[in-house]
Amino acid sequence: MSQPTPSSASPASSKTPSSFAMRFFKRLIKLFAALALLAIIVLLVLFALLRLEHKKETTLPTPTGHFAVGRTMFAWVENAETEEFAPSPGAKREVAAWMWYPAVPSTSAAPAEYLPAPWRAALAQSSGTLMSQYMTRGLAAVRTHSSADPDVSPELRSYPVVILRAGGGALTTDFTTLAEDLASHGYIVVGFDAPYRTFVVVLQDGRVVRRPPANDPENLPADQANQLINRLLLLWTSDTKFVVNQLEKLNAGEPAGKFTGRLDLHRLGMFGHSFGGAQALQFCHDDSRCKAGIDIDGAPYGSVIQEGLKQPFMFLLSDHSRDLADPASKQILADFQSIYNRLPNGRLFVTIRGANHFSFSDQMLVKSQYVIGVMHSLGISRLESRRGLAITADYVHTFFDVYLKDAPADSLNKPAQRYPEVQVGAP
């Protein structure tokens, strides 16, 4: 029998290892191409959804008090002090103050913008396209419950005053929900932003001042960050004293206007979030004009830790149960205890289970709800956004009702009965 020639070999034997490899890699390339195309499609759909959400109107929670709410702004310059963070020596310290107050109801008054257009433009430019156009709802479409510059309600001759401080570089308007709710319960609420400390500030003459990266403790190593924080605490506390001084002048009629005699500065409180809470602690320690204060999820700093407070004070914290093993968190807890244990009658320590650090601000509503949904799914925040704001607003106005308006002390037991997420007790 003759031997088979090479041309009569079976088809299978012609498939060399290299041909198998080529076909495998071609299939692999097609798979990667398909996955890449799918990823591009998913990203395009995601960005389209984010962009649609950005344009969607959002209404803040309705205030729970019976007063209508007005909002106005002031630009104050402290001629006696220079701004040490300003690039040019001799620049005067300035603040942009926001005021929410009980107002005369009006159907014709223009609604107050959540953030005025020049501020929106400056914030968008400073934040970048991704954050301002996709990761955040359009602030022009955020609806408030305040009217712009109406008259003060004649229901009472004067109203208690509460200073509001945002945390770190945050804007005062990030806490519009809490400010409006407190004003609706009969308070004049005053917050302020300061150039070179707040993330971005638009001054009355249109100048835009951005916070330099070197003024942000989060950009620094721990030891340098603490040094900067202590320096900022002194400046912010000094700013607060200046603002209260300006309010005294406003109340005395300098210049004469609708707020003359309407601010009861003998009933002055202060609350703040994060670093703003630390400022509330230190200001109430430094200035006897403060009659009650609240620290919302802010680690304490300054001499108040060692020396304590004499005024009624509340700590309102998010859920830090996962952080307690961290050495830094243990020190913060020890600082809370140092202050709390020496407080007189009128102390309260409240934790909201499932809350995160931003559950107290409008950020949970104006940031993309797709991002917030991811946070919920990952367990970073288990508390529904509006629920967190409702609990906070309830505690803030109830605490000040007790210690600035002489409401019954047992009023502070009621929020815990309404909200099972609340845990009341010593730190």
Side-chain angles (χ1 to χ4, degrees), residues 29 43 66 92 146 176 191 201 204 219 266 269 352 398 404 421:
I29 290 170
L43 284 174
H66 75 275
K92 301 302 182 183
S146 304
T176 296
V201 174
Q204 192 173 34
N219 294 333
H266 295 291
I352 305 177
T398 303
L404 296 182
E421 302 92 336

Side-chain angles (χ1 to χ4, degrees), residues 70-78 93-101 112-116 119 149 161-166 170-174 176 179 188-195 198 200-205 236 239-248 250 258-259 263:
R71 195 193 76 188
T72 192
M73 290 188 68
F74 296 94
W76 289 325
V77 180
E78 188 174 13
R93 188 186 298 186
E94 301 180 62
V95 299
W98 311 76
M99 180 186 287
W100 292 263
Y101 55 93
E113 292 182 289
Y114 183 75
L115 193 65
W119 287 71
D149 300 310
V161 178
V162 175
I163 305 297
L164 159 63
R165 281 303 303 125
L171 299 183
T172 296
T173 50
D174 287 347
T176 296
I188 294 176
V189 184
V190 183
F192 62 93
D193 297 308
T198 302
V200 63
V201 174
V202 180
L203 298 174
Q204 192 173 34
D205 60 6
W236 276 120
D239 288 343
T240 304
K241 292 178 181 178
F242 166 64
V243 167
V244 176
N245 292 342
Q246 291 299 114
L247 292 173
E248 289 178 341
L250 189 68
K258 61 188 174 187
F259 292 104
L263 287 74

Side-chain angles (χ1 to χ4, degrees), residues 33 89 109 171 215 242 267 273 282 290 300 317 351 356 358:
L171 299 183
N215 289 5
F242 166 64
R267 294 184 290 168
H273 173 252
Q282 190 63 39
C290 176
L317 303 186
T351 300
N356 72 78
F358 296 100

Side-chain angles (χ1 to χ4, degrees), residues 46-348:
L46 176 60
F47 275 100
L49 291 173
L50 290 171
R51 190 60 183 162
L52 287 172
E53 183 190 43
H54 174 80
K55 299 177 180 179
K56 187 177 180 181
E57 186 175 292
T58 304
T59 301
L60 297 180
T62 303
T64 58
H66 75 275
F67 285 97
V69 179
R71 195 193 76 188
T72 192
M73 290 188 68
F74 296 94
W76 289 325
V77 180
E78 188 174 13
N79 291 317
E81 294 285 342
T82 57
E83 174 54 68
E84 67 175 80
F85 283 146
S88 56
K92 301 302 182 183
R93 188 186 298 186
E94 301 180 62
V95 299
W98 311 76
M99 180 186 287
W100 292 263
Y101 55 93
V104 174
S106 173
T107 56
S108 60
E113 292 182 289
Y114 183 75
L115 193 65
W119 287 71
R120 295 198 305 269
L123 182 62
Q125 186 176 20
S126 300
S127 302
T129 302
L130 179 62
M131 183 59 69
S132 63
Q133 301 297 317
Y134 293 94
M135 304 300 286
T136 304
R137 292 172 182 259
L139 298 184
V142 176
R143 303 291 173 244
T144 72
H145 299 278
S146 304
S147 298
D149 300 310
D151 288 334
V152 182
S153 170
E155 183 173 326
L156 298 176
R157 180 69 190 92
S158 62
Y159 297 91
V161 178
V162 175
I163 305 297
L164 159 63
R165 281 303 303 125
L171 299 183
T172 296
T173 50
D174 287 347
F175 296 87
T176 296
T177 294
L178 299 185
E180 288 186 333
D181 189 78
L182 194 52
S184 78
H185 284 272
Y187 293 87
I188 294 176
V189 184
V190 183
F192 62 93
D193 297 308
Y196 310 104
R197 294 186 270 291
T198 302
F199 180 65
V200 63
V201 174
V202 180
L203 298 174
Q204 192 173 34
D205 60 6
R207 284 178 295 140
V208 176
V209 182
R210 295 175 176 82
R211 179 182 64 175
N215 289 5
D216 184 357
E218 294 184 5
N219 294 333
L220 301 174
D223 57 338
Q224 296 179 33
N226 285 332
Q227 292 177 13
L228 177 59
I229 286 170
N230 287 318
R231 183 183 175 196
L232 289 169
L233 183 63
L234 293 174
L235 288 172
W236 276 120
T237 305
S238 177
D239 288 343
T240 304
K241 292 178 181 178
F242 166 64
V243 167
V244 176
N245 292 342
Q246 291 299 114
L247 292 173
E248 289 178 341
K249 293 179 181 179
L250 189 68
N251 195 50
E254 301 176 25
K258 61 188 174 187
F259 292 104
T260 300
R262 309 307 303 274
L263 287 74
D264 187 350
L265 290 163
H266 295 291
R267 294 184 290 168
L268 175 70
M270 182 174 182
F271 77 102
H273 173 252
S274 192
F275 189 53
Q279 295 166 43
L281 276 166
Q282 190 63 39
F283 175 75
C284 290
H285 167 274
D286 294 348
D287 199 316
S288 61
R289 291 177 293 183
C290 176
K291 299 301 187 291
I294 302 173
D295 174 1
I296 302 178
D297 218 37
Y301 291 94
S303 58
V304 66
I305 298 173
Q306 290 76 34
E307 299 172 7
L309 285 173
K310 296 179 181 179
Q311 300 95 326
F313 208 89
M314 177 171 71
F315 297 94
L316 182 60
L317 303 186
S318 63
D319 192 339
H320 293 279
S321 57
R322 297 181 180 181
D323 307 328
L324 295 180
D326 177 73
S329 298
K330 289 182 178 179
Q331 182 58 56
I332 293 171
L333 183 60
D335 292 341
F336 279 135
Q337 289 175 327
S338 174
I339 299 168
Y340 182 85
N341 291 343
R342 289 174 291 163
L343 281 169
N345 291 334
R347 62 184 186 178
L348 193 62

